[in-house]
Amino acid sequence: MSAIPAVLWIDRAAVLADACTRWDAAGEVALDTEFVFERTYFPRLGLIQVAAAGEVALVDPVAIADLSALGRLLEAPGVTKLVHAAGQDAAVLVRATGVVPAPLFDTQMAAALAGLGASLSYAALIQTLLGVALDKHETRTDWLRRPLRPEQLRYAAEDVVHLAPAAGLLRERLYTYRWTSLLVLAYFTEGAVRVWVEPGRVHLLAVPRDRRVRVDEQRAQLPQPSRAHGRPRERQHAGQHAFPRGPAVAAKRRDEGLDDVAVQ
């Protein structure tokens, strides 16, 4: 069990606004959310965890109706948001604040690019990089119930307190691979995630829908599959999707403007 700083509980909008001002000056903010997604069409946000400027804070969205101060922090261009497996967290935060977090560094995607494995869990990432074993016994918590137990508060705080050290180590690993031009688009909710690595810097940035890259005429070609068990290669024609999908899925993606993905 790791030691964590004292946790600040924030359940008033004015206190949140003051805290966001401090965090904005830090340049980097670790984020996580806890929510309940049972018997509802949309997840119900129960807690927002923040680690920045030497502080660890738990923001209570059940008590705070006005999260506009947090929304301004989420879209601040000079503040990098560190998130692990950002898809669901971003969707929940968009619904709560109306803002897509950006710029965004997703440690799960960075771990995959660094060769640590695809879809690595947060606990596995922290164990691998920092040698810290996290207690995951509170995964079934009702995060809408108040008050939360000390064990639940600690569990929530640990989800962000290790993100900055882990992100620093991932940046080092990515840089040692000497990747200089890598672009991946992974879509979620109202935005996309743009990922690229250049010497000394690693970026995973949320991109609004109207700024997505479209490549109707210059679709990236993936390497042809090699021969296996005597079967000939399957030729991929220009303009054909690199990954097959059914007509219903393809039509839905076209309707949502998600049909084209560029890898450069």
Side-chain angles (χ1 to χ4, degrees):
M1 182 177 292
S2 61
I4 62 174
V7 176
L8 175 64
W9 178 263
I10 298 178
D11 57 6
R12 290 185 296 156
V15 178
L16 175 61
D18 290 341
C20 286
T21 300
R22 296 193 302 273
W23 301 336
D24 183 79
E28 191 172 79
V29 175
L31 292 168
D32 190 38
T33 64
E34 305 295 346
F35 50 86
V36 176
F37 202 174
E38 297 177 357
R39 299 185 296 276
T40 58
Y41 287 107
F42 299 100
R44 300 168 65 190
L45 184 58
L47 199 64
I48 304 168
Q49 303 101 289
V50 181
E55 299 179 356
V56 178
L58 304 180
V59 180
D60 184 3
V62 177
I64 304 175
D66 181 9
L67 294 173
S68 58
L70 181 64
R72 290 190 293 273
L73 179 70
L74 293 180
E75 65 181 355
V79 181
T80 300
K81 291 77 185 180
L82 308 177
V83 188
H84 187 81
Q88 284 189 319
D89 294 306
V92 171
L93 289 170
V94 167
R95 184 167 177 80
T97 67
V99 173
V100 177
L104 175 71
F105 187 99
D106 187 324
T107 51
Q108 186 182 69
M109 296 181 71
L113 295 173
L116 297 180
S119 302
L120 198 66
S121 71
Y122 176 70
L125 177 70
I126 299 307
Q127 178 71 60
T128 300
L129 293 180
L130 305 177
V132 175
L134 300 179
D135 184 358
K136 305 303 289 183
H137 292 160
E138 301 295 336
T139 54
R140 303 297 296 177
T141 288
D142 180 358
W143 294 104
L144 299 174
R145 179 174 295 180
R146 299 293 185 266
L148 294 172
R149 302 191 315 274
E151 296 82 5
Q152 294 168 327
L153 298 177
R154 179 183 180 85
Y155 169 91
E158 284 192 325
D159 276 352
V160 290
V161 73
H162 303 295
L163 269 174
L169 293 174
L170 286 170
R171 289 186 178 105
E172 292 177 6
R173 284 175 177 251
L174 290 172
Y175 178 62
T176 59
Y177 281 170
R178 301 182 184 278
W179 289 340
T180 57
S181 60
L182 172 64
L183 176 63
V184 179
L185 295 183
Y187 293 97
F188 63 85
T189 64
E190 296 300 317
V193 176
R194 176 180 292 173
V195 188
W196 75 94
V197 183
E198 58 186 356
R201 304 183 70 183
V202 181
H203 311 268
L204 282 76
L205 174 66
V207 181
R209 180 182 294 273
D210 60 359
R211 293 177 57 193
R212 291 179 179 172
V213 178
R214 302 186 64 84
V215 284
D216 293 323
E217 301 299 330
Q218 299 179 354
R219 187 179 304 278
Q221 295 294 307
L222 298 182
Q224 299 292 331
S226 59
R227 294 178 180 270
H229 305 293
R231 292 176 297 182
R233 300 184 189 183
E234 296 179 4
R235 183 177 180 183
Q236 183 171 324
H237 299 285
Q240 179 183 348
H241 285 293
F243 301 98
R245 50 179 176 252
V249 175
K252 183 175 185 296
R253 290 177 64 83
R254 283 195 299 272
D255 292 341
E256 295 177 356
L258 302 182
D259 191 44
D260 295 309
V261 177
V263 181
Q264 299 175 346

